[in-house]
Coordinates of all heavy atoms in Angstrom, one line a residue:
M1 N -18.5 -1.5 6.5 CA -18.7 -0.4 5.6 C -17.4 -0.1 4.8 O -17.4 0.3 3.7 CB -19.1 0.9 6.3 CG -20.6 0.8 6.8 SD -21.7 0.4 5.5 CE -22.0 2.0 4.7
T2 N -16.2 -0.3 5.5 CA -15.0 0.0 4.8 C -14.8 -0.9 3.6 O -14.4 -0.4 2.5 CB -13.8 -0.2 5.7 OG1 -14.0 0.6 6.9 CG2 -12.5 0.0 5.1
G3 N -15.2 -2.2 3.7 CA -15.1 -3.1 2.5 C -15.9 -2.6 1.4 O -15.5 -2.7 0.2
Y4 N -17.1 -2.1 1.6 CA -18.0 -1.6 0.6 C -17.3 -0.5 -0.2 O -17.4 -0.4 -1.4 CB -19.3 -1.2 1.2 CG -20.3 -0.6 0.1 CD1 -20.9 -1.4 -0.8 CD2 -20.5 0.8 0.1 CE1 -21.7 -0.8 -1.7 CE2 -21.3 1.4 -0.9 CZ -21.9 0.5 -1.8 OH -22.7 1.1 -2.7
K5 N -16.7 0.4 0.5 CA -16.1 1.6 -0.1 C -15.0 1.1 -1.1 O -14.9 1.6 -2.2 CB -15.5 2.5 1.0 CG -14.6 3.6 0.5 CD -14.0 4.4 1.6 CE -13.0 5.4 1.2 NZ -12.3 6.0 2.3
F6 N -14.2 0.2 -0.6 CA -13.1 -0.4 -1.5 C -13.7 -1.2 -2.6 O -13.1 -1.2 -3.7 CB -12.1 -1.1 -0.7 CG -11.2 -0.2 0.2 CD1 -11.3 -0.4 1.6 CD2 -10.4 0.7 -0.3 CE1 -10.5 0.5 2.4 CE2 -9.7 1.6 0.5 CZ -9.7 1.4 1.8
D7 N -14.7 -2.0 -2.3 CA -15.3 -2.8 -3.4 C -15.8 -1.9 -4.6 O -15.6 -2.1 -5.7 CB -16.6 -3.5 -2.9 CG -16.2 -4.6 -1.9 OD1 -15.0 -5.1 -1.9 OD2 -17.1 -5.1 -1.2
K8 N -16.5 -0.8 -4.2 CA -17.0 0.2 -5.2 C -15.8 0.8 -6.0 O -15.9 0.9 -7.2 CB -17.8 1.2 -4.5 CG -18.7 2.0 -5.3 CD -19.6 2.9 -4.4 CE -20.1 4.1 -5.1 NZ -20.9 4.9 -4.2
L9 N -14.8 1.2 -5.3 CA -13.7 1.9 -6.0 C -12.9 0.9 -6.9 O -12.6 1.2 -8.0 CB -12.7 2.4 -4.9 CG -11.4 3.1 -5.4 CD1 -11.8 4.3 -6.3 CD2 -10.6 3.5 -4.3
A10 N -12.7 -0.3 -6.4 CA -12.1 -1.4 -7.2 C -12.9 -1.7 -8.5 O -12.3 -1.8 -9.6 CB -11.8 -2.6 -6.4
K11 N -14.2 -1.8 -8.3 CA -15.0 -2.1 -9.5 C -15.0 -1.0 -10.5 O -14.8 -1.2 -11.7 CB -16.5 -2.3 -9.0 CG -17.4 -2.8 -10.1 CD -18.8 -3.1 -9.6 CE -19.6 -3.5 -10.8 NZ -21.0 -3.9 -10.3
R12 N -15.0 0.3 -10.0 CA -15.0 1.4 -10.9 C -13.6 1.5 -11.7 O -13.6 1.8 -12.9 CB -15.1 2.7 -10.1 CG -15.2 3.9 -11.0 CD -15.5 5.2 -10.3 NE -14.5 5.5 -9.3 CZ -14.7 6.1 -8.1 NH1 -15.9 6.3 -7.7 NH2 -13.7 6.3 -7.3
E13 N -12.5 1.1 -11.1 CA -11.2 1.1 -11.7 C -10.8 -0.2 -12.3 O -9.7 -0.4 -12.7 CB -10.2 1.6 -10.7 CG -10.5 3.1 -10.3 CD -9.3 3.7 -9.6 OE1 -8.2 3.2 -9.7 OE2 -9.6 4.8 -9.0
N14 N -11.7 -1.2 -12.3 CA -11.5 -2.5 -12.9 C -10.2 -3.2 -12.3 O -9.4 -3.7 -12.9 CB -11.4 -2.5 -14.4 CG -11.5 -3.8 -15.0 OD1 -12.2 -4.7 -14.5 ND2 -10.9 -4.0 -16.2
K15 N -10.2 -3.1 -10.9 CA -9.1 -3.7 -10.2 C -9.6 -4.7 -9.1 O -10.8 -4.7 -8.8 CB -8.3 -2.6 -9.5 CG -7.6 -1.7 -10.5 CD -6.8 -0.6 -9.8 CE -6.1 0.3 -10.8 NZ -5.3 1.3 -10.1
E16 N -8.7 -5.5 -8.7 CA -9.0 -6.5 -7.6 C -8.2 -6.2 -6.4 O -7.1 -5.7 -6.5 CB -8.7 -7.9 -8.1 CG -9.6 -8.4 -9.2 CD -9.3 -9.8 -9.6 OE1 -8.8 -10.6 -8.8 OE2 -9.6 -10.2 -10.8
Y17 N -8.7 -6.6 -5.2 CA -7.9 -6.4 -4.0 C -8.5 -7.4 -3.0 O -9.5 -8.0 -3.2 CB -8.1 -5.0 -3.4 CG -9.4 -4.8 -2.7 CD1 -9.5 -4.9 -1.3 CD2 -10.6 -4.5 -3.4 CE1 -10.7 -4.8 -0.7 CE2 -11.8 -4.4 -2.8 CZ -11.9 -4.5 -1.4 OH -13.0 -4.4 -0.8
S18 N -7.7 -7.6 -2.0 CA -8.2 -8.5 -0.9 C -7.5 -8.1 0.4 O -6.4 -7.5 0.4 CB -7.9 -10.0 -1.2 OG -6.5 -10.2 -1.3
F19 N -8.2 -8.3 1.5 CA -7.7 -8.1 2.8 C -7.3 -9.4 3.4 O -8.0 -10.4 3.2 CB -8.8 -7.5 3.8 CG -9.1 -6.1 3.5 CD1 -10.3 -5.7 2.9 CD2 -8.2 -5.0 3.8 CE1 -10.6 -4.4 2.6 CE2 -8.5 -3.7 3.5 CZ -9.7 -3.4 3.0
F20 N -6.3 -9.4 4.2 CA -6.0 -10.6 5.0 C -5.3 -10.2 6.3 O -4.6 -9.2 6.3 CB -5.2 -11.7 4.2 CG -3.9 -11.3 3.7 CD1 -2.7 -11.4 4.4 CD2 -3.8 -10.7 2.4 CE1 -1.5 -11.0 3.9 CE2 -2.6 -10.3 1.9 CZ -1.5 -10.5 2.6
F21 N -5.6 -10.9 7.3 CA -5.0 -10.6 8.6 C -4.1 -11.7 9.0 O -4.4 -12.9 8.8 CB -6.1 -10.5 9.7 CG -7.1 -9.4 9.3 CD1 -8.2 -9.6 8.6 CD2 -6.8 -8.1 9.7 CE1 -9.1 -8.6 8.3 CE2 -7.7 -7.0 9.4 CZ -8.8 -7.3 8.7
V22 N -3.0 -11.4 9.6 CA -1.9 -12.4 10.0 C -1.5 -12.1 11.4 O -1.6 -11.0 12.0 CB -0.7 -12.3 9.0 CG1 -1.1 -12.7 7.6 CG2 -0.1 -11.0 9.1
K23 N -0.9 -13.2 12.0 CA -0.3 -13.0 13.3 C 1.2 -12.6 13.1 O 1.8 -12.9 12.0 CB -0.3 -14.4 14.0 CG -1.7 -14.9 14.3 CD -1.7 -16.2 15.0 CE -3.1 -16.7 15.2 NZ -3.1 -18.0 15.7
S24 N 1.8 -12.0 14.1 CA 3.1 -11.5 14.0 C 4.1 -12.6 14.4 O 4.5 -12.7 15.5 CB 3.3 -10.3 14.9 OG 4.6 -9.8 14.8
N25 N 4.4 -13.5 13.4 CA 5.4 -14.6 13.7 C 6.0 -15.0 12.4 O 5.6 -14.7 11.3 CB 4.7 -15.8 14.4 CG 3.7 -16.5 13.6 OD1 3.8 -16.7 12.4 ND2 2.5 -16.8 14.2
G26 N 7.1 -15.8 12.5 CA 7.9 -16.2 11.3 C 7.1 -17.0 10.3 O 7.3 -16.9 9.1
E27 N 6.3 -17.9 10.8 CA 5.5 -18.8 9.9 C 4.6 -17.9 9.0 O 4.5 -18.1 7.8 CB 4.7 -19.8 10.7 CG 3.9 -20.8 9.8 CD 3.1 -21.8 10.6 OE1 3.3 -21.9 11.9 OE2 2.3 -22.5 10.0
E28 N 3.9 -17.0 9.6 CA 3.0 -16.1 8.9 C 3.8 -15.2 7.9 O 3.3 -15.0 6.7 CB 2.2 -15.2 9.8 CG 1.1 -16.0 10.6 CD 0.0 -16.5 9.8 OE1 -0.4 -15.9 8.7 OE2 -0.5 -17.6 10.1
L29 N 4.9 -14.7 8.3 CA 5.7 -13.9 7.4 C 6.2 -14.8 6.2 O 6.2 -14.3 5.1 CB 7.0 -13.4 8.2 CG 7.9 -12.5 7.4 CD1 7.2 -11.3 6.8 CD2 9.1 -12.0 8.2
A30 N 6.5 -16.0 6.4 CA 6.9 -16.9 5.3 C 5.8 -17.1 4.4 O 6.0 -17.2 3.2 CB 7.4 -18.2 5.9
N31 N 4.6 -17.3 4.9 CA 3.4 -17.5 4.1 C 3.1 -16.2 3.2 O 2.8 -16.3 2.0 CB 2.1 -17.8 4.9 CG 2.2 -19.2 5.6 OD1 2.8 -20.1 5.1 ND2 1.5 -19.3 6.7
I32 N 3.2 -15.1 3.8 CA 3.0 -13.8 3.1 C 4.1 -13.7 2.0 O 3.8 -13.3 0.9 CB 3.0 -12.6 4.0 CG1 1.8 -12.6 4.9 CG2 3.1 -11.3 3.2 CD1 1.9 -11.6 6.1
T33 N 5.3 -14.0 2.3 CA 6.4 -13.9 1.3 C 6.1 -14.8 0.2 O 6.3 -14.4 -1.0 CB 7.7 -14.3 2.0 OG1 8.0 -13.4 3.1 CG2 8.9 -14.3 1.0
K34 N 5.6 -16.0 0.4 CA 5.3 -17.0 -0.7 C 4.2 -16.4 -1.6 O 4.3 -16.5 -2.8 CB 4.9 -18.3 -0.1 CG 4.6 -19.4 -1.2 CD 4.5 -20.7 -0.6 CE 4.2 -21.8 -1.6 NZ 4.4 -21.6 -3.0
I35 N 3.1 -15.9 -0.9 CA 2.0 -15.3 -1.7 C 2.6 -14.2 -2.6 O 2.2 -14.1 -3.8 CB 0.9 -14.8 -0.8 CG1 0.2 -15.9 -0.1 CG2 -0.1 -13.9 -1.6 CD1 -0.7 -15.5 1.0
I36 N 3.4 -13.3 -2.1 CA 3.9 -12.2 -2.8 C 4.8 -12.6 -4.0 O 4.7 -12.2 -5.1 CB 4.7 -11.2 -1.9 CG1 3.7 -10.5 -1.0 CG2 5.5 -10.2 -2.7 CD1 4.3 -9.7 0.2
E37 N 5.7 -13.6 -3.7 CA 6.6 -14.1 -4.7 C 5.8 -14.9 -5.8 O 6.1 -14.7 -7.0 CB 7.7 -14.9 -4.1 CG 8.7 -14.0 -3.3 CD 9.7 -14.9 -2.6 OE1 9.6 -16.1 -2.5 OE2 10.7 -14.2 -2.1
D38 N 4.9 -15.7 -5.4 CA 4.2 -16.6 -6.3 C 3.3 -15.8 -7.3 O 3.0 -16.2 -8.4 CB 3.3 -17.6 -5.6 CG 4.1 -18.7 -4.9 OD1 5.4 -18.8 -5.2 OD2 3.5 -19.5 -4.2
N39 N 2.8 -14.6 -6.8 CA 1.9 -13.8 -7.6 C 2.5 -12.6 -8.1 O 1.8 -11.7 -8.7 CB 0.7 -13.4 -6.7 CG -0.2 -14.6 -6.4 OD1 -0.9 -15.2 -7.2 ND2 -0.1 -15.1 -5.1
N40 N 3.8 -12.5 -8.0 CA 4.6 -11.4 -8.6 C 4.0 -10.0 -8.2 O 3.8 -9.2 -9.0 CB 4.7 -11.5 -10.1 CG 5.8 -10.6 -10.6 OD1 6.8 -10.3 -10.0 ND2 5.6 -10.1 -11.9
I41 N 3.7 -9.9 -6.9 CA 3.1 -8.7 -6.3 C 4.2 -7.7 -6.1 O 5.2 -8.0 -5.4 CB 2.3 -9.0 -5.0 CG1 1.2 -9.9 -5.4 CG2 1.8 -7.7 -4.4 CD1 0.4 -10.4 -4.2
N42 N 4.1 -6.5 -6.6 CA 5.1 -5.4 -6.4 C 4.3 -4.2 -5.9 O 3.3 -3.8 -6.5 CB 5.8 -5.1 -7.7 CG 6.6 -6.2 -8.2 OD1 7.5 -6.7 -7.5 ND2 6.3 -6.7 -9.4
P43 N 4.8 -3.6 -4.8 CA 4.2 -2.4 -4.3 C 4.3 -1.2 -5.3 O 5.4 -1.1 -5.9 CB 4.9 -2.1 -3.0 CG 6.2 -2.7 -3.2 CD 6.0 -3.9 -4.1
R44 N 3.4 -0.4 -5.3 CA 3.5 0.9 -6.1 C 4.2 1.9 -5.2 O 3.8 2.1 -4.1 CB 2.1 1.4 -6.5 CG 2.2 2.7 -7.3 CD 0.8 3.1 -7.7 NE 0.4 2.2 -8.8 CZ -0.8 2.3 -9.4 NH1 -1.7 3.1 -8.9 NH2 -1.1 1.5 -10.4
I45 N 5.2 2.5 -5.7 CA 6.0 3.5 -5.0 C 5.8 4.8 -5.6 O 5.9 5.0 -6.8 CB 7.5 3.1 -5.0 CG1 7.8 1.7 -4.6 CG2 8.3 4.2 -4.2 CD1 7.7 1.4 -3.1
N46 N 5.5 5.8 -4.7 CA 5.3 7.2 -5.2 C 6.6 7.7 -5.8 O 7.7 7.4 -5.3 CB 4.9 8.0 -4.0 CG 4.5 9.4 -4.4 OD1 5.3 10.3 -4.6 ND2 3.2 9.7 -4.5
N47 N 6.5 8.5 -6.8 CA 7.6 9.0 -7.6 C 8.4 10.1 -6.8 O 9.6 10.3 -7.1 CB 7.2 9.6 -8.9 CG 6.8 8.5 -9.9 OD1 7.2 7.3 -9.8 ND2 5.9 8.8 -10.8
N48 N 7.8 10.7 -5.8 CA 8.5 11.8 -5.1 C 9.6 11.2 -4.3 O 9.5 10.1 -3.8 CB 7.5 12.5 -4.2 CG 6.5 13.3 -5.0 OD1 6.8 14.0 -5.9 ND2 5.2 13.1 -4.6
K49 N 10.7 12.0 -4.2 CA 11.9 11.5 -3.4 C 11.9 12.4 -2.1 O 11.9 13.6 -2.2 CB 13.2 11.8 -4.2 CG 13.3 11.0 -5.5 CD 13.4 9.5 -5.3 CE 13.5 8.9 -6.6 NZ 13.4 7.5 -6.6
F50 N 12.0 11.7 -1.0 CA 12.0 12.4 0.3 C 13.2 11.9 1.1 O 13.6 10.8 1.0 CB 10.7 12.2 1.1 CG 9.5 12.7 0.4 CD1 8.6 11.8 -0.3 CD2 9.2 14.1 0.4 CE1 7.5 12.3 -0.9 CE2 8.1 14.6 -0.2 CZ 7.2 13.7 -0.9
N51 N 13.7 12.8 2.0 CA 14.7 12.5 2.9 C 14.4 13.2 4.2 O 13.3 13.8 4.4 CB 16.1 12.9 2.4 CG 16.2 14.3 2.0 OD1 15.7 15.2 2.7 ND2 16.9 14.6 0.9
L52 N 15.2 13.1 5.2 CA 14.9 13.7 6.5 C 14.8 15.2 6.4 O 14.1 15.8 7.2 CB 16.0 13.3 7.6 CG 15.9 11.8 8.0 CD1 17.0 11.5 9.0 CD2 14.6 11.4 8.5
E53 N 15.5 15.8 5.5 CA 15.4 17.3 5.4 C 14.0 17.8 4.9 O 13.6 18.9 5.2 CB 16.5 17.8 4.5 CG 17.9 17.6 5.0 CD 19.0 17.8 4.1 OE1 18.7 18.1 2.9 OE2 20.2 17.6 4.5
N54 N 13.3 17.0 4.1 CA 12.0 17.4 3.6 C 10.9 16.4 4.0 O 9.9 16.2 3.3 CB 12.0 17.6 2.1 CG 12.3 16.3 1.3 OD1 12.7 15.3 1.9 ND2 12.2 16.4 0.0
I55 N 11.1 15.8 5.2 CA 10.1 14.9 5.7 C 8.8 15.5 5.9 O 7.7 14.8 5.8 CB 10.7 14.2 7.0 CG1 9.8 12.9 7.3 CG2 10.7 15.1 8.2 CD1 10.4 12.0 8.3
D56 N 8.7 16.8 6.3 CA 7.4 17.4 6.4 C 6.6 17.4 5.2 O 5.4 17.2 5.2 CB 7.6 18.9 6.9 CG 8.1 19.0 8.3 OD1 7.9 18.0 9.1 OD2 8.6 20.1 8.7
E57 N 7.2 17.5 4.0 CA 6.5 17.4 2.7 C 6.0 16.0 2.6 O 4.9 15.8 2.1 CB 7.5 17.8 1.6 CG 7.9 19.2 1.5 CD 8.9 19.5 0.4 OE1 8.8 18.9 -0.7 OE2 9.9 20.2 0.7
A58 N 6.8 15.0 2.9 CA 6.3 13.6 2.8 C 5.1 13.4 3.7 O 4.1 12.8 3.3 CB 7.4 12.7 3.2
L59 N 5.1 13.9 4.9 CA 4.0 13.7 5.8 C 2.8 14.5 5.4 O 1.6 14.0 5.5 CB 4.4 14.2 7.2 CG 5.5 13.3 7.9 CD1 5.9 14.0 9.2 CD2 5.0 11.9 8.2
Q60 N 3.0 15.6 4.8 CA 1.8 16.4 4.2 C 1.2 15.6 3.1 O 0.0 15.5 2.9 CB 2.3 17.7 3.7 CG 2.6 18.7 4.9 CD 3.1 20.0 4.4 OE1 3.4 20.2 3.2 NE2 3.3 20.9 5.3
L61 N 2.0 15.0 2.2 CA 1.5 14.2 1.1 C 0.7 13.0 1.6 O -0.4 12.7 1.2 CB 2.6 13.7 0.2 CG 2.3 12.8 -0.9 CD1 1.3 13.5 -1.9 CD2 3.5 12.3 -1.7
V62 N 1.2 12.3 2.6 CA 0.5 11.2 3.2 C -0.8 11.6 3.9 O -1.9 11.0 3.7 CB 1.4 10.5 4.3 CG1 0.6 9.4 5.1 CG2 2.6 9.8 3.6
D63 N -0.8 12.8 4.5 CA -2.0 13.3 5.2 C -3.1 13.6 4.2 O -4.3 13.5 4.6 CB -1.6 14.6 6.0 CG -2.7 15.0 6.9 OD1 -3.3 14.2 7.6 OD2 -3.0 16.3 6.9
T64 N -2.8 14.0 3.0 CA -3.8 14.3 2.0 C -4.6 13.0 1.6 O -5.8 13.1 1.2 CB -3.2 14.8 0.7 OG1 -2.5 13.8 0.0 CG2 -2.4 16.0 0.9
G65 N -4.0 11.8 1.8 CA -4.7 10.6 1.4 C -4.7 10.3 -0.1 O -5.4 9.5 -0.5
H66 N -4.0 11.1 -0.8 CA -4.0 11.0 -2.3 C -2.6 10.7 -2.9 O -2.2 11.3 -3.9 CB -4.5 12.3 -2.9 CG -5.9 12.7 -2.5 ND1 -7.0 12.0 -3.0 CD2 -6.4 13.6 -1.7 CE1 -8.1 12.5 -2.4 NE2 -7.8 13.5 -1.6
T67 N -1.9 9.8 -2.2 CA -0.7 9.4 -2.8 C -0.9 8.4 -3.9 O -1.9 7.6 -3.9 CB 0.2 8.8 -1.7 OG1 -0.4 7.6 -1.2 CG2 0.5 9.7 -0.6
N68 N 0.0 8.3 -4.8 CA 0.0 7.3 -5.9 C 1.0 6.2 -5.5 O 2.0 6.1 -6.2 CB 0.2 7.9 -7.2 CG 0.0 7.0 -8.3 OD1 -0.5 5.9 -8.1 ND2 0.4 7.4 -9.5
G69 N 0.8 5.5 -4.5 CA 1.7 4.5 -4.0 C 2.3 4.8 -2.7 O 2.0 5.8 -2.0
K70 N 3.2 4.0 -2.2 CA 3.8 4.1 -0.9 C 4.8 5.3 -1.0 O 5.5 5.5 -1.9 CB 4.6 2.9 -0.5 CG 3.7 1.6 -0.4 CD 2.7 1.8 0.7 CE 1.8 0.6 0.8 NZ 0.7 0.7 1.7
V71 N 4.8 6.1 0.1 CA 5.7 7.2 0.2 C 7.0 6.7 1.0 O 6.9 6.1 2.1 CB 5.1 8.4 1.0 CG1 6.1 9.5 1.2 CG2 3.9 8.9 0.2
V72 N 8.1 6.9 0.4 CA 9.4 6.4 0.9 C 10.2 7.6 1.4 O 10.4 8.6 0.6 CB 10.2 5.6 -0.1 CG1 11.5 5.2 0.4 CG2 9.3 4.4 -0.6
V73 N 10.8 7.5 2.6 CA 11.7 8.5 3.1 C 13.1 7.8 3.2 O 13.2 6.9 3.9 CB 11.3 9.1 4.4 CG1 12.3 10.0 5.0 CG2 9.9 9.7 4.3
E74 N 14.0 8.3 2.4 CA 15.4 7.8 2.5 C 16.2 8.3 3.6 O 16.1 9.6 3.9 CB 16.1 8.0 1.2 CG 15.5 7.3 0.0 CD 16.3 7.6 -1.3 OE1 17.2 8.4 -1.3 OE2 15.9 6.9 -2.3
I75 N 16.8 7.5 4.4 CA 17.6 7.9 5.5 C 19.1 7.7 5.3 O 19.5 6.7 4.8 CB 17.2 7.2 6.8 CG1 15.7 7.5 7.1 CG2 18.1 7.5 8.0 CD1 15.1 6.7 8.2

C-alpha cells in the first residue's frame, strides 16, 4: 500500500521516484555512489537553519511530516 500512495503523489506532481534496498557494505555503498553521481542526484535540503540550541524546532518540523527536503542540524 505504501507504494500506491507514493505512486499517486508522484503522478499528481509529475515526478518519478524509485525504491531500492541495499546491504550495509562497501560494495553496495560504491554502487549507490555511482548511481548518484551518474544521474546527478542532489538531495533537497530544507531552507531552515538549525543547531543544537534550537533542535526542538527541527524535531517539531520533522514530526509534522511536511518538510520541503532534508532537515539539517549543524553541530
Side-chain angles (χ1 to χ4, degrees):
M1 289 305 278
T2 301
Y4 175 75
K5 175 183 168 184
F6 289 117
D7 290 344
K8 196 170 156 183
L9 181 61
K11 185 175 182 179
R12 184 173 64 215
E13 296 194 15
N14 197 29
K15 296 182 179 180
E16 293 182 27
Y17 78 97
S18 61
F19 288 109
F20 57 93
F21 298 93
V22 296
K23 295 178 183 173
S24 181
N25 64 43
E27 183 179 349
E28 291 293 328
L29 182 57
N31 289 336
I32 293 169
T33 300
K34 182 167 178 20
I35 291 168
I36 290 170
E37 289 174 349
D38 289 352
N39 293 286
N40 196 29
I41 297 172
N42 295 303
R44 180 177 284 175
I45 306 289
N46 187 279
N47 290 333
N48 295 311
K49 303 288 183 192
F50 298 103
N51 55 42
L52 291 179
E53 293 168 0
N54 62 353
I55 195 167
D56 287 340
E57 292 175 40
L59 293 171
Q60 287 174 355
L61 179 61
V62 171
D63 191 44
T64 67
H66 298 289
T67 63
N68 187 11
K70 301 296 181 188
V71 174
V72 176
V73 177
E74 293 182 356
I75 299 176

